[in-house]
Amino acid sequence: DARVTQTPRHKVTEMGQEVTMRCQPILGHNTVFWYRQTMMQGLELLAYFRNRAPLDDSGMPKDRFSAEMPDATLATLKIQPSEPRDSAVYFCASGLPTENTGELFFGEGSRLTVL
Amino acid sequence: QKEVEQNSGPLSVPEGAIASLNCTYSDRVSQSFFWYRQYSGKSPELIMSIYSNGDKEDGRFTAQLNKASQYVSLLIRDSQPSDSATYLCAVSWGGADGLTFGKGTHLIIQP
């Protein structure tokens, strides 16, 4: 059963620490997205990759967030240094979007708490 | 700025009734429209997609799209307590650049 896998599922850290979240997209999907979900803002697009190339990271705070896709089976989202306002659930999603379709498959999310 | 708007609710519907969820979007360029369901503590899962004006039915779910009014809705017939969740409307603005989500409507089906 193909699915998007994210680690860690839960992370509690102190302000100023580095946090790295990992995502394994569904095999064959060429596009990977990072979303952040909070009660106030809902689901916000942070960054996405197509065929491993970064296409848009305008949703990310550039000074502390970075996203990479070192190979087709791994996408990473790093926060350094972390701040309490980064507390949220971070979702990775993958898909094969085209002009007429856009179905995304979501991982279970990484719940981050920054104290 | 392209936006997707939903009433946050909660929307309370008695079991067996029809639940009607609404969504408006800001840009006429929009190509594709999706409804995702998200249970508390879980990830969003796709339940319906619609690409052209009119109605699309799948079991108890019907999606309705009116591009002229920039409006998309989801009807759930014979509502069940298991339908209680947050429903997210999502729009693709054309191309393959991901989805913009509304903040979701919290639906409660009362037994």
Side-chain angles (χ1 to χ4, degrees), chain A residues 35 37 40 48 50 100 104 107, chain B residues 36 38 43 51 96-97 99:
Chain A
Y35 283 89
Q37 187 175 39
M40 290 297 295
Y48 71 99
R50 179 156 304 120
N100 296 314
L104 298 185
Chain B
Y36 282 78
Q38 186 175 25
S43 60
Y51 307 108
D97 295 333
L99 303 179

Side-chain angles (χ1 to χ4, degrees), chain B residues 50-56 62-67 71-73:
Chain B
I50 186 167
Y51 307 108
S52 56
N53 280 327
D55 295 0
K56 178 181 178 182
T62 299
Q64 299 175 317
L65 175 61
N66 184 326
K67 289 189 176 182
Y71 176 91
V72 58
S73 65

Side-chain angles (χ1 to χ4, degrees), chain B residues 37 39 60-61 76 78-85 87 107 109:
Chain B
R37 178 177 62 200
Y39 292 114
R60 295 186 297 113
F61 298 96
I76 307 174
D78 189 23
S79 298
Q80 303 296 311
S82 60
D83 295 326
S84 297
Y87 289 80
L107 176 65
I109 306 300

